């Protein structure tokens, strides 16, 4: 749903913005404001409003990278060292290659992630069974296990349902609420969320890509990729979440 809302916003705003950017030779997201209102104060205010949320975004990305590195190295590389290294790498790539380096590194990362997106559901299916098996109405993998039993080993089974003996292996028995229709309040929250997503294409880093696209054809390809990418990228996450819910104890 969010993907459709974002792409709809792109289709509404990007064609006009692209034509103006080509004619007026815009290079940064704030160029439109400067060109339209001819106010340095407004340009500065818009730049601050654009940079501040991006700083939060970058902080989250940096901390996430540092946590990943710390986990992969079992604490041998601390978060602080990883964050500093991450910042140096980013600044170095920007200085040496500009937006070309951003695009090329994005392409390399995308290639790695696509392989992971395809592999994750297959690995989950091999280890735990595929979702169409554990989520089916006539699921045959239902077992009962002791509540709260932790550890990497497979849990021992018990006779249930009974106090301290919970369902596992079939999503409908473990989390029946997943099969219920959302309430009116939840539907309103979802609708409000989707409405906000229409403005997502106005994020500075997305507008910047509209300005620097080499042709309208390239921009249309990006729109098609944006429409398809979330289905590829989010499906493994959904599979992992539902699998974890099916076997949680």
């Amino acid at each position: 749903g969010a993907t459709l809302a974002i792409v709809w916003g792109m289709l509404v705003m990007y064609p006009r913005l692209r034509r103006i950017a080509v004619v007026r030779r815009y290079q940064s997201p704030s160029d439109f404001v400067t060109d339209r209102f001819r106010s340095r104060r407004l340009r500065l205010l818009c730049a601050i409003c654009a940079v501040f949320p991006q700083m939060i975004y970058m902080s989250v990305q940096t901390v996430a990278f540092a946590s990943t590195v710390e986990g992969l190295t079992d604490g041998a590389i601390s978060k602080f060292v990883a964050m500093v290294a991450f910042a140096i790498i980013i600044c170095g790539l920007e200085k040496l290659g500009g937006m070309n380096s951003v695009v090329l590194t994005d392409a390399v990362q995308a290639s790695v992630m696509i392989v992971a997106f395809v592999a994750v559901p297959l690995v989950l299916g091999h280890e735990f069974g595929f979702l169409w098996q554990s989520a089916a109405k006539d699921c045959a993998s239902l077992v009962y296990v002791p509540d709260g039993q932790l550890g990497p080993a497979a849990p021992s089974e018990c006779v249930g349902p009974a106090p301290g003996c919970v369902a596992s292996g079939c999503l409908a028995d473990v989390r029946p609420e997943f099969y219920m229709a959302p309430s009116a309040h939840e539907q309103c929250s979802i609708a409000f969320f989707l409405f906000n997503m229409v403005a997502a294409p106005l994020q500075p880093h997305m507008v910047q890509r509209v300005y620097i696209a080499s042709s309208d054809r390239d921009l249309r390809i990006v729109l098609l990729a944006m429409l398809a990418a979330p289905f590829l990228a989010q499906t493994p996450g959904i599979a992992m979440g539902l699998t974890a819910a099916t076997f949680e104890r």
Side-chain angles (χ1 to χ4, degrees):
T3 299
L4 297 178
I6 292 173
V7 173
W8 185 82
M10 289 179 171
L11 293 174
V12 170
M13 293 178 281
Y14 280 3
R16 176 67 174 170
L17 191 59
R18 168 69 181 174
R19 288 193 294 269
I20 296 175
V22 171
V23 173
R24 305 294 290 180
R25 297 183 179 182
Y26 294 161
Q27 295 182 344
S28 70
S30 58
D31 284 349
F32 171 80
V33 176
T34 303
D35 191 28
R36 173 66 178 80
F37 297 99
R38 305 291 178 175
S39 171
R40 291 186 177 181
R41 292 181 179 178
L42 183 60
R43 176 187 176 92
L44 178 61
L45 177 61
C46 291
I48 293 174
C49 292
V51 168
F52 181 72
Q54 295 303 309
M55 291 294 294
I56 298 175
Y57 176 81
M58 279 297 301
S59 298
V60 172
Q61 296 296 320
T62 304
V63 172
F65 173 83
S67 298
T68 301
V69 171
E70 185 182 42
L72 291 174
T73 60
D74 197 21
I77 300 178
S78 66
K79 286 185 179 181
F80 178 77
V81 173
M83 285 190 288
V84 172
F86 185 63
I88 292 174
I89 292 172
I90 291 177
C91 292
L93 291 174
E94 286 280 0
K95 181 66 176 179
L96 294 174
M99 284 301 295
N100 286 334
S101 67
V102 175
V103 174
L104 290 174
T105 54
D106 283 351
V108 173
Q109 294 173 52
S111 301
V112 175
M113 288 190 293
I114 287 174
V115 175
F117 293 152
V118 174
V120 164
L122 298 178
V123 173
L124 289 174
H126 179 266
E127 293 292 328
F128 300 99
F130 292 97
L131 284 178
W132 58 78
Q133 298 170 329
S134 59
K137 183 178 180 180
D138 55 346
C139 174
S141 56
L142 177 64
V143 296
Y144 289 90
V145 298
D147 187 14
Q149 182 176 345
L150 302 177
S156 58
E157 298 184 16
C158 58
V159 180
C165 189
V166 297
S168 179
C170 289
L171 186 60
D173 295 278
V174 180
R175 301 298 293 270
E177 65 272 19
F178 285 2
Y179 291 77
M180 298 173 61
S183 65
H185 175 73
E186 291 171 335
Q187 293 180 35
C188 290
S189 298
I190 294 172
F192 183 69
F193 171 77
L194 296 178
F195 177 76
N196 282 308
M197 286 297 100
V198 175
L202 291 179
Q203 295 180 83
H205 64 278
M206 297 181 70
V207 174
Q208 183 70 53
R209 282 163 169 77
V210 176
Y211 290 169
I212 66 173
S214 58
S215 66
D216 292 345
R217 178 178 177 273
D218 291 341
L219 186 58
R220 285 193 291 268
I221 293 175
V222 170
L223 291 178
L224 292 174
M226 282 291 296
L227 183 60
F231 294 96
L232 174 64
Q234 295 174 10
T235 299
I238 295 173
M240 286 189 290
L242 292 178
T243 301
T246 301
F247 293 94
E248 67 178 355
R249 57 189 191 275

